C-alpha cells in the first residue's frame, strides 16, 4: 500500500528537507511524486541541466527508505522555452493563444514542444533509470488538463495526418462525415481544419473525430515519453495521473499503455453526495485495467483552493474517502501535496503538512491514516458480476448539438450508478466495447452511438443468457454519427424485441410536457427527456406510460426469446424507476442497505464505510 504525495522540495530551502523526511517517516510515507513541475529548476536554460539538487534529495529519500515516483517534469514549460519557440503556444477555438505565466501552456502536437520534452525526459531517464529510490515513473501531469483541446496550426497539421491514417482517402472521409450536406465536401486533406469558431453547427462526425484525435494527441505524448524511459533502461512501472471522468481523454484507449492506473480525485466537501461521486469514479478507475493495481495519485487532505468556496473536509471525511478508494481497489493513497506552498497560486490548497503546522487536526489525521494503511492486511481484488457502461465516445456524441433533446450523459450514467449503489450492488464501470464474459447483468443507458463491435458484444452477452438493460435513445447511430440502414434499434432490436420509431423529446422546462408517468409491474415512476414510441416485436411490456402524449403505450419492456433477458426503457427513469429496474434486473429482495453507507467486499475483507458518521470498519470474512 503506497502512502504519500506530490513532493516539491525545490520550493523550499534545503534545511527544510531534513524536516520533511523526519515527518514523512512519522506519517509512514513510503512514496513521493517528485519533480512534477521542476522543469525550470532542472533546465534553467536550453542546453543546461542542473541535477545536483535532485541527486541530493533522491539520495536522502532513499536513505530514509522512502520510494520515489519520479516525474518526467514536462507538464509546465519554463518561460525561456515559449519565448524561443512561440509555436509551442496552444490556441483556443477562437484563435486566441494561451501564454506562459501559469502552467501547462503547450500544444501537444508542437514539434518544438515535443523536441524539448524529449530532450528533458531523456536526460532525466538516463540519469535516474537505475537509481534505487525510483519505484515508479510519473509521466507529465494530468495530460490535457486546463487546455483540453488545441486548435492551432500544429493541431491542424497533426489532425490531417490522423485523418489520413483513419480514412486513407479524402473520398472515404467525405463519405464518413456526410459532407454533401451544406456543401462541406473536401477536395483534399489539406482543406480540413480543426473545428474552429464557425457561424453555426459544425459537422458532427468531424467534431467527433476531432475529439478522438485530441484524446490520441495527449496519449501520444505519454507514449513518446514512455518509449524514452524504456529505451533509457527504466524497468519500473510507468504511469501518469488520470482525472476520473475527464471529458477530453478516452481513458479506455489509454489504459492499455499504462503499467498501473493513477487517478486524481477532488470531491467538494460541501457536496453531501461527494461520496457517491467518489464511488462512481473509483469503480471506473478500477475497471480501466482490472488486472493491475490502481493508486489514488492525488486528493486533498482538507480544503482546495480552486472552487469559489473551498470548505475544509469534515472530521473523518478524509479517512472515509481514502478508505473508500482502498475498498474499491486502490493500492495506494497519495495527496497533492506534501508541504503546503508558501507562495504561488495554490498557497491556500491544503497539504499533508499544513501551513498551520503539525499541531493540527490535518496532521494528526495524516499520521493516523498512514498508520491505518500500514496496518491493513493483504487485500484481494474487488469482484463484480454487474457492469455499467460509461463510454467516452457516447459522452462526446451526446454533447453534439442538434439532437431531439439535450441530455447530460455523464449525469445519467452517474444516476444509474447511484441506484446500483443504493441497492448495495458492486459494479464495474466499463467501456461499450468491453469483454462482457465475466458479468451476469449489464446496464447500458443512453447508448446512442453503437459501434459494430459493441453491438456484437451486447448481442453475444444476451444470447449467452445475460441480462441487458438499455434505452432510451440507444442504438441510434454508428461510429461516424450516421443513421444506419433500416431505421433505429437496427443492431439490438432483435435481442430487445422492440424497435423505436419516435424519440418523443420531452420539454426541459414548462411549457410543454416535461415528464411522463410510468406504471406497471415494477411500480410507478416518472421519466424525463424522452417518451419514445416503440413497437413490440416479441418483447412484453413491463410498464406503460400513463400520462402525456404516449399514454397507454409501452415504456418498459423485456424480451426473453434471445437467450437471456433484454430490457428496454423508453425514458430516463427517476431514482425510484432506476432502483426498481435494478431490483428487477438482479431479482433482489429484502431491505436495501442503509443510505450513506457503503459495504464493499475486496477479496476476503469487507469494508463498511458510513459516510454520515465518517466511520470506517474493515473486517475479515
Ligand atoms: C491537480 C494538479 C495538482 C494540483 C491539484 C490541486 O490535481 O495535478 O498539481 O494543482 O490539482 O487541486
Amino acid at each position: 500500500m503506497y502512502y504519500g504525495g506530490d513532493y516539491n522540495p525545490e520550493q523550499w530551502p534545503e534545511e527544510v528537507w531534513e524536516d520533511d523526511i523526519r515527518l514523512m517517516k512519522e506519517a509512514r510515507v513510503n512514496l513521493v511524486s517528485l519533480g512534477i513541475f521542476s522543469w525550470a529548476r532542472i533546465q534553467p536554460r536550453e542546453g543546461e541541466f542542473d541535477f545536483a539538487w535532485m541527486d541530493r534529495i533522491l539520495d536522502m529519500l532513499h536513505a530514509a527508505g522512502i520510494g520515489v515516483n519520479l516525474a518526467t517534469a514536462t507538464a509546465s514549460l519554463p518561460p525561456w522555452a515559449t519565448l524561443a519557440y512561440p509555436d509551442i503556444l496552444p490556441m483556443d477555438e477562437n484563435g486566441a493563444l494561451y501564454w506562459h505565466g501559469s502552467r501547462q501552456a503547450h500544444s501537444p502536437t508542437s514539434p518544438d514542444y515535443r523536441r524539448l520534452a524529449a530532450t528533458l525526459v531523456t536526460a532525466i531517464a538516463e540519469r535516474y533509470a537505475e537509481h534505487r529510490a525510483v519505484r515508479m515513473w510519473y509521466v507529465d501531469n494530468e495530460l490535457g488538463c486546463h487546455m483540453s483541446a488545441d486548435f492551432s496550426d500544429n493541431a491542424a497539421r497533426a489532425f490531417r495526418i490522423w485523418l489520413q491514417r483513419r480514412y486513407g482517402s479524402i473520398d472515404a472521409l467525405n463519405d464518413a462525415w456526410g459532407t454533401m450536406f451544406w456543401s462541406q465536401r473536401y477536395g483534399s486533406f489539406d482543406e480540413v481544419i480543426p473545428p474552429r469558431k464557425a457561424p453555426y453547427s459544425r459537422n458532427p462526425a468531424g467534431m467527433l473525430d476531432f475529439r478522438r484525435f485530441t484524446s490520441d494527441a495527449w496519449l501520444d505524448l505519454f507514449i513518446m515519453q514512455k518509449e524514452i524511459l524504456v529505451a533509457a533502461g527504466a524497468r519500473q512501472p510507468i504511469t501518469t495521473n488520470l482525472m476520473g471522468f475527464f471529458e477530453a481523454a478516452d481513458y479506455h484507449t489509454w489504459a492499455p499503455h499504462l503499467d498501473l492506473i493513477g487517478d486524481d480525485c477532488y470531491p467538494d466537501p460541501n457536496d453531501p453526495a461527494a461520496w457517491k461521486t467518489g464511488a462512481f469514479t473509483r469503480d471506473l478507475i478500477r475497471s480501466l485495467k482490472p488486472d493491475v493495481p490502481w493508486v489514488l495519485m492525488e486528493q486533498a487532505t482538507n480544503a482546495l483552493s480552486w472552487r469559489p468556496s473551498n470548505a475544509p473536509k469534515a472530521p473523518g471525511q478524509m479517512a472515509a474517502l481514502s478508505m473508500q478508494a482502498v475498498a474499491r481497489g486502490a493500492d495506494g493513497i497519495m495527496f497533492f501535496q506534501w508541504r503546503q506552498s508558501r507562495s504561488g497560486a495554490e498557497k491556500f490548497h491544503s497539504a499533508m503538512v499544513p501551513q498551520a503546522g503539525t499541531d493540527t487536526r490535518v496532521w494528526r489525521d495524516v499520521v493516523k491514516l498512514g498508520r491505518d494503511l500500514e496496518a491493513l492486511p493483504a487485500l484481494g481484488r474487488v469482484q463484480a458480476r454487474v457492469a455499467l457502461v460509461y463510454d467516452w465516445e457516447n459522452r462526446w456524441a451526446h454533447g453534439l448539438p442538434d439532437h431531439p433533446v439535450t441530455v447530460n450523459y455523464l449525469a445519467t450514467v452517474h444516476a444509474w450508478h447511484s441506484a446500483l449503489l443504493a441497492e448495495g450492488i458492486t459494479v464495474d464501470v466499463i467501456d461499450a466495447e468491453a469483454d462482457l464474459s465475466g458479468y451476469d447483468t449489464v446496464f447500458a443507458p443512453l447508448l446512442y452511438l453503437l459501434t459494430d463491435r459493441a453491438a456484437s458484444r451486447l448481442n453475444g452477452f444476451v444470447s449467452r443468457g445475460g441480462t441487458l438493460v438499455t434505452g432510451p435513445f440507444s442504438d441510434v447511430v454508428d461510429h461516424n454519427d450516421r443513421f444506419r440502414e433500416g431505421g433505429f434499434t437496427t443492431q439490438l432490436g432483435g435481442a430487445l424485441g422492440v424497435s423505436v420509431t419516435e424519440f418523443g423529446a420531452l420539454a426541459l422546462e414548462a411549457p410543454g410536457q416535461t415528464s411522463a408517468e410510468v406504471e406497471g409491474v415494477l411500480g410507478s415512476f416518472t421519466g424525463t427527456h424522452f417518451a419514445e414510441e416503440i413497437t413490440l416485436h416479441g418483447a412484453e411490456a413491463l410498464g406503460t406510460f400513463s400520462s402525456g402524449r404516449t399514454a397507454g403505450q409501452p415504456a418498459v419492456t423485456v424480451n426473453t426469446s434471445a437467450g437471456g433477458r433484454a430490457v428496454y426503457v423508453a425514458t430516463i427513469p427517476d431514482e425510484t424507476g432506476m432502483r426498481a429496474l435494478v431490483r428487477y434486473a438482479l431479482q433482489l429482495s429484502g431491505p436495501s442497505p442503509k443510505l450513506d453507507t457503503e459495504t464493499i467486499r475486496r477479496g476476503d475483507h469487507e469494508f463498511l464505510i458510513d459516510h454520515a458518521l465518517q466511520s470506517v470498519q474493515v473486517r475479515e470474512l
Side-chain angles (χ1 to χ4, degrees):
M1 187 65 63
Y2 294 116
Y3 187 55
D6 290 13
Y7 183 34
N8 300 304
E10 71 271 28
Q11 293 177 16
W12 298 91
E14 295 198 14
E15 304 84 82
V16 178
W17 299 0
E18 297 281 352
D19 196 45
D20 283 337
I21 287 178
R22 181 183 61 80
L23 291 172
M24 283 177 192
K25 290 177 83 167
E26 186 181 335
R28 305 293 195 263
V29 164
N30 57 20
L31 188 74
V32 293
S33 306
L34 185 75
I36 298 169
F37 292 107
S38 306
W39 193 338
R41 179 71 183 84
I42 295 171
Q43 196 181 10
R45 273 165 290 281
E46 191 168 10
E48 188 182 320
F49 290 95
D50 175 2
F51 283 115
W53 68 278
M54 206 173 230
D55 293 349
R56 284 196 292 281
I57 190 66
L58 274 167
D59 290 345
M60 283 169 73
L61 288 163
H62 182 58
I66 297 165
V68 172
N69 183 11
L70 189 58
T72 59
T74 52
S76 203
L77 279 158
W80 61 256
T82 46
L83 288 175
Y85 305 103
D87 115 295
I88 285 176
L89 299 178
M91 186 184 276
D92 75 6
E93 64 166 2
N94 302 318
L97 295 178
Y98 296 86
W99 292 87
H100 68 252
S102 174
R103 67 172 177 185
Q104 282 162 286
H106 54 263
S107 158
T109 55
S110 151
D112 284 324
Y113 172 75
R114 293 172 67 90
R115 180 175 48 76
L116 292 175
T119 306
L120 175 71
V121 180
T122 305
I124 294 175
E126 285 177 349
R127 193 171 187 95
Y128 297 120
E130 315 231 317
H131 196 292
R132 282 174 306 158
V134 179
R135 304 280 159 75
M136 204 186 282
W137 290 92
Y138 186 108
V139 169
D140 205 272
N141 184 66
E142 297 189 337
L143 285 151
C145 188
H146 307 307
M147 209 276 325
S148 34
D150 168 38
F151 297 79
S152 67
D153 289 344
N154 283 321
R157 273 187 288 274
F159 187 35
R160 289 175 196 134
I161 293 168
W162 186 94
L163 290 168
Q164 227 150 0
R165 278 199 204 114
R166 185 173 176 90
Y167 293 107
S169 73
I170 198 66
D171 289 344
L173 178 144
N174 280 314
D175 182 47
W177 289 14
T179 55
M180 279 306 166
F181 188 74
W182 284 352
S183 188
Q184 291 170 348
R185 189 184 165 279
Y186 294 101
S188 79
F189 283 101
D190 293 338
E191 294 173 10
V192 181
I193 54 170
R196 293 176 180 152
K197 188 176 168 70
Y200 187 46
S201 300
R202 289 159 290 191
N203 182 290
M207 300 269 284
L208 204 51
D209 272 345
F210 187 67
R211 289 278 203 180
R212 292 176 175 131
F213 154 76
T214 296
S215 175
D216 286 356
W218 290 113
L219 172 61
D220 196 56
L221 274 188
F222 175 85
I223 293 171
M224 175 186 90
Q225 298 197 23
K226 183 175 181 183
E227 285 172 355
I228 294 172
L229 292 168
V230 171
R235 296 286 168 269
Q236 305 87 342
I238 300 172
T239 189
T240 184
N241 48 342
L242 307 181
M243 294 171 280
F245 289 93
F246 178 57
E247 187 170 10
D250 180 348
Y251 290 150
H252 287 126
T253 63
W254 290 36
H257 302 279
L258 306 178
D259 294 336
L260 61 80
I261 306 287
D263 187 51
D264 297 353
C265 193
Y266 290 99
D268 183 353
N270 280 324
D271 176 4
W275 70 274
K276 296 185 190 173
T277 314
F280 183 35
T281 309
R282 305 192 196 309
D283 287 345
L284 168 82
I285 292 296
R286 180 190 66 248
S287 312
L288 283 178
K289 206 158 185 178
D291 299 330
V292 300
W294 74 272
V295 173
L296 180 58
M297 205 66 98
E298 283 185 27
Q299 63 166 342
T301 54
N302 198 25
L304 305 174
S305 57
W306 43 263
R307 289 201 171 95
S309 167
N310 295 287
K313 284 186 169 160
Q317 196 173 16
M318 187 266 277
L321 289 170
S322 301
M323 284 301 188
Q324 175 190 57
V326 174
R328 292 181 184 275
D331 284 344
I333 299 294
M334 313 275 290
F335 294 90
F336 172 83
Q337 61 177 329
W338 165 250
R339 187 182 280 277
Q340 187 167 357
S341 296
R342 203 165 272 177
S343 52
E346 292 182 329
K347 61 184 173 298
F348 284 105
H349 197 293
S350 60
M352 296 173 84
V353 181
Q355 165 69 11
T358 50
D359 187 13
T360 50
R361 169 168 68 85
V362 168
W363 176 250
R364 283 186 285 277
D365 288 352
V366 163
V367 172
K368 180 170 187 318
L369 181 61
R371 290 171 188 211
D372 288 350
L373 291 172
E374 191 183 55
L376 281 175
L379 297 164
R381 297 229 173 279
V382 178
Q383 306 280 348
R385 303 292 307 168
V386 179
L388 171 65
V389 172
Y390 163 78
D391 183 69
W392 261 276
E393 296 216 338
N394 266 286
R395 172 135 170 232
W396 299 335
H398 278 288
L400 294 168
D402 313 310
H403 279 194
V405 59
T406 303
V407 290
N408 186 330
Y409 174 72
L410 177 64
T412 306
V413 179
H414 190 181
W416 275 102
H417 187 272
S418 296
L420 286 151
L421 194 61
E423 296 297 331
I425 310 298
T426 301
V427 56
D428 285 347
V429 176
I430 60 164
D431 179 39
E433 293 187 348
D435 174 10
L436 303 176
S437 52
Y439 302 111
D440 303 323
T441 311
V442 173
F443 293 82
L446 291 176
L447 205 56
Y448 162 75
L449 182 155
L450 185 69
T451 63
D452 294 349
R453 191 177 163 83
S456 111
R457 294 264 198 202
L458 290 168
N459 282 320
F461 170 73
V462 174
S463 71
R464 288 191 306 274
T467 297
L468 170 68
V469 178
T470 188
F473 203 49
S474 296
D475 188 4
V476 179
V477 295
D478 69 7
H479 63 288
N480 286 319
D481 197 53
R482 282 181 309 199
F483 293 148
R484 293 176 185 266
E485 190 74 37
F488 306 112
T489 29
T490 58
Q491 307 304 295
L492 299 180
L496 292 165
V498 300
S499 65
V500 175
T501 53
E502 181 62 55
F503 299 112
L506 298 176
L508 294 174
E509 55 189 45
Q513 183 189 340
T514 55
S515 62
E517 300 307 314
V518 176
E519 276 166 30
V521 295
L522 305 179
S524 312
F525 65 86
T526 303
T528 56
H529 295 79
F530 301 93
E532 292 179 333
E533 292 175 34
I534 60 179
T535 311
L536 307 192
H537 303 286
E540 66 177 279
L542 295 171
T544 307
F545 287 115
S546 59
S547 73
R549 283 190 300 259
T550 43
Q553 297 187 38
V556 185
T557 63
V558 64
N559 187 37
T560 49
S561 62
R565 282 182 302 171
V567 176
Y568 190 81
V569 50
T571 185
I572 298 183
D574 60 7
E575 189 192 342
T576 308
M578 286 184 185
R579 288 182 66 174
L581 278 152
V582 167
R583 285 194 298 274
Y584 171 76
L586 291 153
Q587 301 293 308
L588 298 176
S589 55
S592 307
K594 206 158 84 55
L595 289 175
D596 293 339
T597 304
E598 282 180 284
T599 306
I600 307 291
R601 186 172 167 176
R602 185 170 167 189
D604 297 331
H605 290 82
E606 189 171 60
F607 287 70
L608 294 111
I609 307 171
D610 185 326
H611 290 277
L613 301 174
Q614 309 290 1
S615 75
V616 180
Q617 282 177 51
V618 185
R619 67 174 185 222
E620 198 170 345
L621 292 170

